[in-house]
PDB file of all heavy atoms in Angstrom:
ATOM      1  N   ALA A 132     138.884-321.965 -20.149  1.00  0.00           N
ATOM      2  CA  ALA A 132     137.860-321.254 -19.377  1.00  0.00           C
ATOM      3  C   ALA A 132     138.129-319.754 -19.436  1.00  0.00           C
ATOM      4  O   ALA A 132     139.268-319.310 -19.267  1.00  0.00           O
ATOM      5  CB  ALA A 132     137.868-321.723 -17.926  1.00  0.00           C
ATOM      6  N   GLY A 133     137.084-318.979 -19.706  1.00  0.00           N
ATOM      7  CA  GLY A 133     137.196-317.525 -19.729  1.00  0.00           C
ATOM      8  C   GLY A 133     137.659-316.943 -21.051  1.00  0.00           C
ATOM      9  O   GLY A 133     137.819-315.736 -21.172  1.00  0.00           O
ATOM     10  N   ILE A 134     137.876-317.793 -22.046  1.00  0.00           N
ATOM     11  CA  ILE A 134     138.341-317.338 -23.352  1.00  0.00           C
ATOM     12  C   ILE A 134     137.299-317.684 -24.406  1.00  0.00           C
ATOM     13  O   ILE A 134     136.800-318.804 -24.459  1.00  0.00           O
ATOM     14  CB  ILE A 134     139.677-318.017 -23.744  1.00  0.00           C
ATOM     15  CG1 ILE A 134     140.740-317.799 -22.678  1.00  0.00           C
ATOM     16  CG2 ILE A 134     140.140-317.545 -25.114  1.00  0.00           C
ATOM     17  CD1 ILE A 134     141.187-316.374 -22.503  1.00  0.00           C
ATOM     18  N   SER A 135     136.970-316.725 -25.258  1.00  0.00           N
ATOM     19  CA  SER A 135     136.085-316.971 -26.402  1.00  0.00           C
ATOM     20  C   SER A 135     136.812-316.526 -27.655  1.00  0.00           C
ATOM     21  O   SER A 135     137.501-315.505 -27.653  1.00  0.00           O
ATOM     22  CB  SER A 135     134.783-316.184 -26.273  1.00  0.00           C
ATOM     23  OG  SER A 135     134.078-316.571 -25.122  1.00  0.00           O
ATOM     24  N   GLU A 145     137.530-312.570 -26.860  1.00  0.00           N
ATOM     25  CA  GLU A 145     137.050-312.144 -25.545  1.00  0.00           C
ATOM     26  C   GLU A 145     137.819-312.876 -24.454  1.00  0.00           C
ATOM     27  O   GLU A 145     138.020-314.090 -24.535  1.00  0.00           O
ATOM     28  CB  GLU A 145     135.560-312.435 -25.410  1.00  0.00           C
ATOM     29  CG  GLU A 145     134.964-311.999 -24.090  1.00  0.00           C
ATOM     30  CD  GLU A 145     133.455-312.218 -24.018  1.00  0.00           C
ATOM     31  OE1 GLU A 145     132.813-312.368 -25.078  1.00  0.00           O
ATOM     32  OE2 GLU A 145     132.936-312.238 -22.894  1.00  0.00           O
ATOM     33  N   ILE A 146     138.242-312.113 -23.461  1.00  0.00           N
ATOM     34  CA  ILE A 146     138.828-312.673 -22.247  1.00  0.00           C
ATOM     35  C   ILE A 146     137.977-312.183 -21.094  1.00  0.00           C
ATOM     36  O   ILE A 146     137.834-310.974 -20.900  1.00  0.00           O
ATOM     37  CB  ILE A 146     140.290-312.230 -22.046  1.00  0.00           C
ATOM     38  CG1 ILE A 146     141.154-312.716 -23.218  1.00  0.00           C
ATOM     39  CG2 ILE A 146     140.820-312.733 -20.715  1.00  0.00           C
ATOM     40  CD1 ILE A 146     142.587-312.222 -23.176  1.00  0.00           C
ATOM     41  N   GLU A 147     137.396-313.095 -20.353  1.00  0.00           N
ATOM     42  CA  GLU A 147     136.568-312.742 -19.204  1.00  0.00           C
ATOM     43  C   GLU A 147     136.999-313.601 -18.021  1.00  0.00           C
ATOM     44  O   GLU A 147     136.597-314.753 -17.882  1.00  0.00           O
ATOM     45  CB  GLU A 147     135.086-312.953 -19.510  1.00  0.00           C
ATOM     46  CG  GLU A 147     134.194-312.424 -18.409  1.00  0.00           C
ATOM     47  CD  GLU A 147     132.727-312.377 -18.783  1.00  0.00           C
ATOM     48  OE1 GLU A 147     132.401-312.377 -19.981  1.00  0.00           O
ATOM     49  OE2 GLU A 147     131.918-312.318 -17.844  1.00  0.00           O
ATOM     50  N   LEU A 148     137.846-313.007 -17.179  1.00  0.00           N
ATOM     51  CA  LEU A 148     138.400-313.689 -16.020  1.00  0.00           C
ATOM     52  C   LEU A 148     138.050-312.886 -14.771  1.00  0.00           C
ATOM     53  O   LEU A 148     138.872-312.143 -14.238  1.00  0.00           O
ATOM     54  CB  LEU A 148     139.911-313.862 -16.178  1.00  0.00           C
ATOM     55  CG  LEU A 148     140.346-314.696 -17.383  1.00  0.00           C
ATOM     56  CD1 LEU A 148     141.846-314.624 -17.582  1.00  0.00           C
ATOM     57  CD2 LEU A 148     139.870-316.129 -17.251  1.00  0.00           C
ATOM     58  N   VAL A 149     136.821-313.022 -14.331  1.00  0.00           N
ATOM     59  CA  VAL A 149     136.303-312.282 -13.185  1.00  0.00           C
ATOM     60  C   VAL A 149     136.586-313.063 -11.906  1.00  0.00           C
ATOM     61  O   VAL A 149     136.323-314.270 -11.830  1.00  0.00           O
ATOM     62  CB  VAL A 149     134.780-312.053 -13.330  1.00  0.00           C
ATOM     63  CG1 VAL A 149     134.212-311.372 -12.098  1.00  0.00           C
ATOM     64  CG2 VAL A 149     134.482-311.249 -14.580  1.00  0.00           C
ATOM     65  N   ASN A 151     139.274-314.175 -10.380  1.00  0.00           N
ATOM     66  CA  ASN A 151     140.142-315.336 -10.565  1.00  0.00           C
ATOM     67  C   ASN A 151     141.435-315.243  -9.761  1.00  0.00           C
ATOM     68  O   ASN A 151     142.357-316.015 -10.005  1.00  0.00           O
ATOM     69  CB  ASN A 151     140.483-315.506 -12.050  1.00  0.00           C
ATOM     70  CG  ASN A 151     139.464-316.324 -12.784  1.00  0.00           C
ATOM     71  OD1 ASN A 151     139.646-317.509 -13.003  1.00  0.00           O
ATOM     72  ND2 ASN A 151     138.370-315.691 -13.158  1.00  0.00           N
ATOM     73  N   ILE A 169     136.702-307.748 -26.286  1.00  0.00           N
ATOM     74  CA  ILE A 169     136.239-307.554 -24.912  1.00  0.00           C
ATOM     75  C   ILE A 169     137.292-308.096 -23.958  1.00  0.00           C
ATOM     76  O   ILE A 169     137.729-309.242 -24.083  1.00  0.00           O
ATOM     77  CB  ILE A 169     134.896-308.277 -24.676  1.00  0.00           C
ATOM     78  CG1 ILE A 169     133.820-307.732 -25.611  1.00  0.00           C
ATOM     79  CG2 ILE A 169     134.469-308.156 -23.218  1.00  0.00           C
ATOM     80  CD1 ILE A 169     132.530-308.541 -25.609  1.00  0.00           C
ATOM     81  N   LEU A 170     137.678-307.270 -22.977  1.00  0.00           N
ATOM     82  CA  LEU A 170     138.614-307.689 -21.935  1.00  0.00           C
ATOM     83  C   LEU A 170     137.992-307.370 -20.586  1.00  0.00           C
ATOM     84  O   LEU A 170     137.749-306.209 -20.264  1.00  0.00           O
ATOM     85  CB  LEU A 170     139.958-306.974 -22.092  1.00  0.00           C
ATOM     86  CG  LEU A 170     141.013-307.292 -21.034  1.00  0.00           C
ATOM     87  CD1 LEU A 170     141.355-308.777 -21.015  1.00  0.00           C
ATOM     88  CD2 LEU A 170     142.272-306.456 -21.268  1.00  0.00           C
ATOM     89  N   VAL A 171     137.705-308.414 -19.815  1.00  0.00           N
ATOM     90  CA  VAL A 171     137.083-308.269 -18.500  1.00  0.00           C
ATOM     91  C   VAL A 171     137.975-308.960 -17.483  1.00  0.00           C
ATOM     92  O   VAL A 171     138.094-310.184 -17.467  1.00  0.00           O
ATOM     93  CB  VAL A 171     135.661-308.892 -18.470  1.00  0.00           C
ATOM     94  CG1 VAL A 171     135.043-308.723 -17.095  1.00  0.00           C
ATOM     95  CG2 VAL A 171     134.781-308.275 -19.537  1.00  0.00           C
ATOM     96  N   LEU A 172     138.613-308.163 -16.632  1.00  0.00           N
ATOM     97  CA  LEU A 172     139.505-308.691 -15.594  1.00  0.00           C
ATOM     98  C   LEU A 172     139.114-308.130 -14.227  1.00  0.00           C
ATOM     99  O   LEU A 172     139.960-307.865 -13.390  1.00  0.00           O
ATOM    100  CB  LEU A 172     140.962-308.333 -15.924  1.00  0.00           C
ATOM    101  CG  LEU A 172     141.512-308.857 -17.247  1.00  0.00           C
ATOM    102  CD1 LEU A 172     142.905-308.321 -17.502  1.00  0.00           C
ATOM    103  CD2 LEU A 172     141.495-310.374 -17.267  1.00  0.00           C
ATOM    104  N   GLU A 173     137.832-307.952 -14.011  1.00  0.00           N
ATOM    105  CA  GLU A 173     137.371-307.319 -12.776  1.00  0.00           C
ATOM    106  C   GLU A 173     137.498-308.257 -11.577  1.00  0.00           C
ATOM    107  O   GLU A 173     137.561-309.468 -11.720  1.00  0.00           O
ATOM    108  CB  GLU A 173     135.930-306.826 -12.936  1.00  0.00           C
ATOM    109  CG  GLU A 173     134.918-307.921 -13.164  1.00  0.00           C
ATOM    110  CD  GLU A 173     133.536-307.392 -13.485  1.00  0.00           C
ATOM    111  OE1 GLU A 173     133.342-306.847 -14.587  1.00  0.00           O
ATOM    112  OE2 GLU A 173     132.656-307.539 -12.639  1.00  0.00           O
TER     113      GLU A 173
END
Side-chain angles (χ1 to χ4, degrees):
I134 305 294
S135 299
E145 181 176 341
I146 299 175
E147 188 169 339
L148 299 171
V149 176
N151 273 261
I169 299 170
L170 178 60
V171 180
L172 300 175
E173 64 187 71

